[in-house]
């Protein structure tokens, strides 16, 4: 494709996709570091249109200052979990902070950074193919004028969402739909995040919960999330978040300023981080999503930090696993217990947040706890169902997950919003943090 005259200047690094992973890697490579190499890089971003994802929200927790603090829209030190019945569970997560970044703010932060550096540039183009060649790779693209071009790079890092999921023993989809709302009266506590509100109608298969990120007494992101074997149809999602806002939260008079929707695969499938001698996957496509939670931002930061360090030191920049093997093994057991119905999701998570300090539980969910802490937390789960699921995993084959015809569609629930006539899953949208 293309002739020599169609080629764009060579680069050390080509970053395909300008989502959270691509932007993070570009940001880490921008500029020079004393005593280390300064690789050249091209960030390839799809032009405005259907291939560019809409604005979305990324959340994570961390202690102390961070690299992207200037893009943080809001942060909280207190979280709340509401069981289906009974008193809410609220806790302080200090020294951690739960932080929210909007993708528009993150893009502006990175754009300002790149504007003051010469080694990383951004190019709008549609990537049509990535070809391994001796000593590097060719990125075949079509620029904003529709011209076929070829970018030669020593290393390529591809963050585009996958068209299909890897074979797995268990795969569920975390489907979420949220409203950015403004209410006529103060109904939100700006100091507390509603992390999991299980007062939502529970589906027959999987689990659901509400999620509230308050940015003021009258403003918040209000979301409905469901773990399901199928992607929810838009009408069902809209009905579910409306039910949560009006019947559970009882917001009263409100205005919906914007919406966001996403699907996050929760799977014990193995995501290949290398697809060629010089071609790697990063972000959700490279396994950065934590299977049991759907959070991605912290995992991709570990990946991009290691990649940037390797490039600057002249080492082979293979993306590391975003999560430890022990964490992935525990996630596989949890997913199997939830998908099989042996473990009641709302009861399991409510019990964990009741008996484990929130700060420790968040560190556990981020893979930052020691073995004895992991064992202690594991004993707070329903041991018999979890043990049975762990033993069962040893004999289960890994099967492809057909997005068009999932293996077990959920049965209608008497308490859940009615499913739409067509609940088949579309091509997966960008897999990012809820």
């Amino acid at each position: 494709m293309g002739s020599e005259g169609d080629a764009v200047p060579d680069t050390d690094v080509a970053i395909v996709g300008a989502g959270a992973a691509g932007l993070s890697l570009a940001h880490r490579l921008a500029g020079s570091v004393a005593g280390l190499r300064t690789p050249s890089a091209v960030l390839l971003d799809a032009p405005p249109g259907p291939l560019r994802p809409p604005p979305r929200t990324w959340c994570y927790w961390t202690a102390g200052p961070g690299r992207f603090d200037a893009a943080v829209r809001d942060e909280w030190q207190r979280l709340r979990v509401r069981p289906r019945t009974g008193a809410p569970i609220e806790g302080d997560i200090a020294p951690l902070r739960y932080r929210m970044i909007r993708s528009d703010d993150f893009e502006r932060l990175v754009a300002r950074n790149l504007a003051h550096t010469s080694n990383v540039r951004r190019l709008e183009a549609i990537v049509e193919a990535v070809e391994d060649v001796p000593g590097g790779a060719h990125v075949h693209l079509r620029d904003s004028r529709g011209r076929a071009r070829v970018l030669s790079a020593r290393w390529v890092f591809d963050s585009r969402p996958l068209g299909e999921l890897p074979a797995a023993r268990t795969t569920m989809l975390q489907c979420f739909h949220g409203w950015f709302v403004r209410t006529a009266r103060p109904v939100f506590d700006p100091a507390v995040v509603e992390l999991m509100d299980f007062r939502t109608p529970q589906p027959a298969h999987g689990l659901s919960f509400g999620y509230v990120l308050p940015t003021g007494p009258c403003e918040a992101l209000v979301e409905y999330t469901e773990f399901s074997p199928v992607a929810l149809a838009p009408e069902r999602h809209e009905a579910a978040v409306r039910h949560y806002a009006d019947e559970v939260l009882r917001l009263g008079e409100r205005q919906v300023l914007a919406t966001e929707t996403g699907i996050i695969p929760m799977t014990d499938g193995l995501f290949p981080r290398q697809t060629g001698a010089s071609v790697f996957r990063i972000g959700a496509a490279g396994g950065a999503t934590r299977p049991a939670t759907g959070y991605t931002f912290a995992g991709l930061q570990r990946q991009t930090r290691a990649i940037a360090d390797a490039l600057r030191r002249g080492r082979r920049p293979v993306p590391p696993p975003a999560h430890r093997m022990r964490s992935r093994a525990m996630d596989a057991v949890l997913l199997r217990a939830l998908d099989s119905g042996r473990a009641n999701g709302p009861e399991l998570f409510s019990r964990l947040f009741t008996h484990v300090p929130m700060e420790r539980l968040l560190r556990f969910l981020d893979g930052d706890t020691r073995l004895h802490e992991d064992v202690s937390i594991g004993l707070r789960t329903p041991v018999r169902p979890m043990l049975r699921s762990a033993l069962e995993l040893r004999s289960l084959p890994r099967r492809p997950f057909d997005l068009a015809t999932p293996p077990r569609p959920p049965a209608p629930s008497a308490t859940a919003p009615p499913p739409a006539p067509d609940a088949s899953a579309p091509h997966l949208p960008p897999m990012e943090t809820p």
Side-chain angles (χ1 to χ4, degrees):
M1 178 188 297
S3 63
E4 185 177 351
D6 297 318
V8 293
D10 293 353
T11 184
D12 295 321
V13 178
I15 305 169
V16 181
L23 290 169
S24 298
L25 182 55
H27 191 272
R28 293 182 183 279
L29 291 177
S32 59
V33 177
L36 300 179
R37 298 184 179 187
T38 304
S40 60
V42 175
L43 175 64
L44 295 164
D45 188 14
L51 293 180
R52 182 177 289 189
R56 55 253 188 244
T57 303
W58 302 314
C59 289
Y60 63 104
W61 49 88
T62 188
R67 187 182 188 97
F68 306 111
D69 286 356
V72 172
R73 181 71 63 93
D74 219 326
E75 66 176 20
W76 301 265
Q77 193 174 317
R78 299 192 67 79
L79 305 181
R80 184 185 294 129
V81 172
R82 293 186 184 270
R84 297 203 67 188
T85 60
I89 308 149
E90 186 173 319
D92 192 309
I93 62 171
L96 301 177
R97 295 290 190 275
Y98 192 86
R99 290 175 170 160
M100 175 179 74
I101 289 180
R102 289 288 289 156
S103 58
D104 289 348
D105 297 329
F106 194 67
E107 290 175 13
R108 282 190 286 269
L109 170 68
V110 176
R112 288 195 300 269
N113 177 251
L114 298 187
H116 294 90
T117 61
S118 59
N119 68 307
V120 180
R121 60 193 182 95
R122 191 168 182 168
L123 176 65
E124 282 192 357
I126 296 174
V127 174
E128 298 182 329
V130 178
E131 176 191 7
D132 236 358
V133 298
H138 286 165
V139 182
H140 298 272
L141 52 88
R142 197 165 296 276
D143 66 18
S144 56
R145 296 183 181 181
R147 297 175 299 178
R149 311 288 293 274
V150 179
L151 172 67
S152 296
R154 177 64 185 92
W155 308 106
V156 175
F157 298 92
D158 194 343
S159 67
R160 293 173 298 173
L162 300 176
E164 60 182 24
L165 298 179
R169 295 165 296 188
T170 307
T171 298
M172 301 184 77
L173 300 179
Q174 182 179 146
C175 309
F176 62 92
H177 182 62
W179 288 351
F180 291 88
V181 300
R182 178 179 296 140
T183 58
R185 58 187 176 87
V187 295
F188 302 112
D189 181 351
V192 185
V193 168
E194 298 278 358
L195 189 68
M196 303 180 92
D197 185 346
F198 292 111
R199 296 176 297 170
T200 54
Q202 294 299 311
H205 188 102
L207 65 110
S208 73
F209 56 89
Y211 176 61
V212 181
L213 292 176
T215 55
C218 300
E219 296 85 28
L221 168 60
V222 175
E223 254 180 29
Y224 172 84
T225 300
E226 185 169 323
F227 295 1
S228 170
V230 296
L232 303 187
E235 305 87 60
R236 178 170 173 176
H237 246 160
E238 188 72 11
V241 73
R242 180 179 293 108
H243 178 273
Y244 180 58
D246 295 343
E247 304 300 326
V248 179
L249 297 180
R250 299 187 181 277
L251 298 183
E253 184 180 347
R254 47 147 176 87
Q255 180 184 7
V256 179
L257 307 177
T259 64
E260 71 171 24
T261 300
I263 301 173
I264 303 172
M266 303 174 67
T267 172
D268 66 356
L270 303 176
F271 288 79
R273 299 185 307 279
Q274 184 166 357
T275 58
S278 299
V279 182
F280 307 96
R281 286 182 179 147
I282 58 173
T289 300
R290 181 72 192 262
T293 66
Y295 284 91
T296 305
F297 196 81
L300 68 85
Q301 296 308 328
R302 287 190 284 270
Q303 281 188 336
T304 56
R305 181 169 54 245
I307 292 167
D309 183 68
L311 288 167
R312 291 189 182 278
R313 297 180 184 278
R315 300 197 299 259
R316 185 173 177 79
V318 179
H323 308 286
R324 293 184 303 183
M325 184 179 297
R326 188 168 78 238
S327 298
R328 299 197 304 273
M330 291 186 293
D331 285 359
V333 174
L334 175 60
L335 286 177
R336 185 61 191 166
L338 292 174
D339 189 50
S340 65
R342 296 189 191 105
N344 180 292
E347 291 181 7
L348 185 152
F349 285 108
S350 297
R351 182 175 176 178
L352 282 176
F353 279 97
T354 298
H355 295 288
V356 181
M358 284 195 177
E359 179 270 341
R360 184 186 305 166
L361 192 53
L362 290 184
R363 288 193 295 107
F364 168 77
L365 294 176
D366 208 23
D368 193 30
T369 44
R370 298 182 179 181
L371 178 59
H372 73 275
E373 294 176 303
D374 293 347
V375 172
S376 174
I377 292 171
L379 292 175
R380 299 295 185 181
T381 64
V383 175
R384 186 171 295 178
M386 301 297 275
L387 180 59
R388 182 180 172 188
S389 298
L391 294 174
E392 183 183 53
L393 285 175
R394 300 169 61 182
S395 60
L396 287 179
R398 294 185 181 272
R399 301 181 183 278
F401 184 81
D402 190 337
L403 294 174
T405 55
R408 289 205 315 249
S413 168
T415 57
D422 179 15
S424 62
H427 179 84
L428 285 178
M431 299 177 286
E432 299 291 355
T433 301

